[in-house]
Amino acid sequence: MPSFSAPPVTGVLTTGVTQQTSVPPSLAPGTGSGSTITFPEEREDPRVVGMPMEASAGGLWGFIKGVAGNPMVKSVLDKTKHSVETMITTLDPGMAPYIRSGGELDIVVTSVKEVKVAAIRDAFQEVFGMATVTGEAGQSNIAPQPVGYAAGLKGAQERIDSLRRTGVIHEKQPAVSVENFIAELLPDKWFDIGCLIVEDPIHGIHLETFTQATPVPLEYVQQEEMLEE
């Protein structure tokens, strides 16, 4: 009986990986030697080479993270967010405190009067973007109508101290206090002025300032003096 053996087959790639494979006896009867078959090396898809490992491994989530980190896309999203907020606050101005509340800033105002709380809330949210600003009724031991800069400064500080002393706010709680007073800057010329104190014990901040003076008619001051008598 004639014997047959499979000749070696060589791939067209010079960088092939040579693997030794034995041909079953049924294919090569009468021979005990194996045949050498060369398989071509698998090449990487050029469309995949160079892609970040995180994106390829993360699939859709990796793609979303990559897009969200793009500065241009972030700028577009910020502008869209601002436009939506502007539209909402234009249609309903009362929504502004809710939209801009949150973030890392938590401020307590030593008054429950909305005119003071709202003004301070608007100021902080305008500067920092987002801030939670609430009001608590602070007490002072000065006259109901303070007169002079010293009285205004003392009243503003006492309102903060009273809230800390009674445990209404924490010792490290950032607080803002406003105390309005009147002062005679010129003979028979009275003005309403506000003393503003910003206190942040955590960062060692203690600021004191005064608002612009608003003229007060003399007759109102005289009426107040008569009531106190």
Side-chain angles (χ1 to χ4, degrees):
M1 294 291 292
S3 61
F4 300 89
S5 61
V9 180
T10 304
V12 295
L13 299 177
T14 58
T15 59
V17 179
T18 303
Q19 299 182 1
Q20 298 293 333
T21 305
S22 299
V23 179
S26 59
L27 296 180
T31 62
S33 61
S35 301
T36 302
I37 301 177
T38 303
F39 294 93
E41 180 182 5
E42 292 185 0
R43 292 180 176 270
E44 293 183 346
D45 190 341
R47 295 171 298 178
V48 179
V49 177
M51 292 181 62
M53 292 299 295
E54 183 180 67
S56 59
L60 180 60
W61 177 241
F63 171 76
I64 293 175
K65 290 174 64 179
V67 171
N70 187 295
M72 184 179 68
V73 175
K74 186 177 184 300
S75 176
V76 173
L77 293 176
D78 289 342
K79 290 180 179 179
T80 302
K81 177 177 177 291
H82 178 71
S83 299
V84 173
E85 290 180 355
T86 302
M87 179 187 66
I88 294 176
T89 54
T90 300
L91 296 176
D92 186 1
M95 287 297 294
Y98 300 98
I99 293 177
R100 296 184 178 180
S101 292
E104 298 180 357
L105 283 179
D106 182 13
I107 308 296
V108 172
V109 182
T110 62
S111 175
V112 292
K113 295 181 179 179
E114 185 60 23
V115 64
K116 293 185 177 181
V117 177
I120 296 172
R121 181 189 295 119
D122 291 344
F124 273 90
Q125 292 178 348
E126 181 68 24
V127 175
F128 297 99
M130 297 187 70
T132 300
V133 181
T134 55
E136 296 288 347
Q139 303 297 326
S140 64
N141 296 321
I142 60 176
Q145 178 55 70
V147 179
Y149 282 83
L153 181 61
K154 181 181 179 182
Q157 186 62 56
E158 284 186 355
R159 291 183 185 276
I160 296 178
D161 295 341
S162 69
L163 291 179
R164 298 195 194 283
R165 185 171 55 253
T166 57
V168 176
I169 63 175
H170 192 268
E171 292 182 357
K172 302 298 183 180
Q173 170 68 48
V176 178
S177 184
V178 179
E179 186 72 47
N180 284 81
F181 61 93
I182 58 175
E184 188 179 16
L185 302 183
L186 296 171
D188 292 334
K189 300 291 184 182
W190 290 83
F191 296 84
D192 178 81
I193 305 170
C195 176
L196 178 69
I197 295 179
V198 178
E199 196 172 86
D200 183 0
I202 294 179
H203 298 93
I205 297 175
H206 182 90
L207 303 176
E208 301 171 354
T209 189
F210 296 91
T211 65
Q212 293 183 346
T214 303
V216 177
L218 180 59
E219 55 268 27
Y220 293 145
V221 178
Q222 293 173 342
Q223 291 177 6
E224 184 68 25
E225 291 177 348
M226 292 175 61
L227 290 176
E228 292 182 356
E229 292 177 358

